[in-house]
Amino acid sequence: AQKITQTQPGMFVQEKEAVTLDCTYDTSDPSYGLFWYKQPSSGEMIFLIYQGSYDQQNATEGRYSLNFQKARKSANLVISASQLGDSAMYFCAMREPYSGAGSYQLTFGKGTKLSVIP
Amino acid sequence: DTGVSQDPRHKITKRGQNVTFRCDPISEHNRLYWYRQTLGQGPEFLTYFQNEAQLEKSRLLSDRFSAERPKGSFSTLEIQRTEQGDSAMYLCASSILTGGEADTQYFGPGTRLTVL
């Protein structure tokens, strides 16, 4: 079963508008971490934002915020005031378990391609 | 603060040849990961090191793959007798074990392998 599901293969957003990229996850572990990465056409994965399973508040980093709904197992990325440079692939990833044994490897979704329209 | 670097950025090889990739992590990072990404997919975990010890390997890592991190600094990933199915982007990431929650992995630019 897929652990990370990103249901939007592609999204379009007008420049300066906000956009939400969806991510749902599946885990039975109470301790986990959720990450979003951006991958431009150059290929490098750029870390954007992190949310821990025990965090009480939604994570924010500049124009990025994470809408974390634990009961629904969703961790949607919100990008405010979109810029042309935001056009890229966006990947949601989960790390489990949070502590103890385990490699902290990331499990990624298939990604969403965001295109920002001028 | 330099990021993760990988060399080469691109490699074209013929089927059956051996290839080796290098990854230099962020200098103080003690954890190093290798991932493979095929077209249209997210990265998939291959293996990871804590310092010089290789602590976990994915089932994706067949016997033709071997990784080393001899002094706990840079790492190499070797693929022997390459097959066309090995064509992919090979990504290296590093993180620092601090006991904190995030243990964020920072990725290099990747090595794109094409097997003809």
Side-chain angles (χ1 to χ4, degrees):
Chain A
Q2 266 194 326
K3 289 193 172 184
I4 297 287
T5 303
Q6 295 182 253
T7 57
Q8 306 151 314
M11 290 280 287
F12 289 89
V13 64
Q14 203 76 36
E15 193 178 4
K16 298 181 185 178
E17 297 293 311
V19 63
T20 298
L21 306 183
D22 294 342
C23 172
T24 58
Y25 59 92
D26 182 28
T27 180
S28 56
D29 200 299
S31 300
Y32 52 89
L34 297 160
F35 298 79
W36 277 92
Y37 285 86
K38 171 185 178 181
Q39 188 176 42
S41 56
S42 58
E44 183 172 354
M45 300 285 285
I46 301 167
F47 166 70
L48 296 178
I49 196 166
Y50 165 81
Q51 180 84 42
S53 60
Y54 293 121
D55 292 344
Q56 295 297 312
Q57 295 189 329
N58 289 341
T60 60
E61 287 287 349
R63 293 187 299 112
Y64 304 108
S65 61
L66 204 151
N67 184 1
F68 181 46
Q69 298 188 45
K70 196 170 181 177
R72 295 185 178 183
K73 293 188 176 179
S74 74
N76 299 338
L77 177 70
V78 180
I79 305 175
S80 62
S82 297
Q83 302 172 356
L84 295 178
D86 294 335
S87 294
M89 286 291 293
Y90 288 80
F91 291 94
C92 179
M94 178 170 64
R95 186 207 60 225
E96 53 175 349
Y98 161 70
S99 61
S103 72
Y104 290 69
Q105 62 177 275
L106 295 175
T107 302
F108 286 84
K110 292 189 175 184
T112 296
K113 183 175 182 179
L114 178 67
S115 299
V116 181
I117 304 166
Chain B
D1 183 23
T2 56
V4 179
S5 61
Q6 292 186 245
D7 184 69
R9 294 291 305 276
H10 303 274
K11 179 71 177 178
I12 300 174
T13 191
K14 292 183 179 179
R15 189 177 55 182
Q17 297 294 305
N18 299 345
V19 294
T20 300
F21 310 141
R22 176 178 170 126
C23 170
D24 287 89
I26 294 171
S27 58
E28 68 270 22
H29 284 191
N30 50 7
R31 288 190 161 188
L32 187 147
Y33 300 79
W34 285 98
Y35 291 83
R36 180 171 68 186
Q37 185 179 22
T38 54
L39 203 60
Q41 302 294 319
E44 294 176 294
F45 169 77
L46 291 178
T47 189
Y48 111 100
F49 293 84
Q50 184 164 314
N51 300 311
E52 66 275 10
Q54 186 175 20
L55 296 185
E56 189 164 345
K57 293 193 288 187
S58 162
R59 287 173 297 175
L60 293 175
L61 212 66
S62 76
D63 292 344
R64 297 183 296 105
F65 287 69
S66 63
E68 293 183 342
R69 193 182 184 198
K71 296 184 179 180
S73 57
F74 72 92
S75 175
T76 58
L77 178 67
E78 181 183 16
I79 309 174
Q80 295 182 327
R81 304 181 303 282
T82 52
E83 301 172 357
Q84 288 184 327
D86 296 331
S87 295
M89 175 79 90
Y90 290 84
L91 293 162
C92 176
S94 71
S95 68
I96 183 165
L97 179 62
T98 62
E101 282 193 20
D103 190 38
T104 299
Q105 294 179 29
Y106 295 92
F107 284 79
T111 294
R112 186 172 296 282
L113 173 66
T114 302
V115 181
L116 302 176

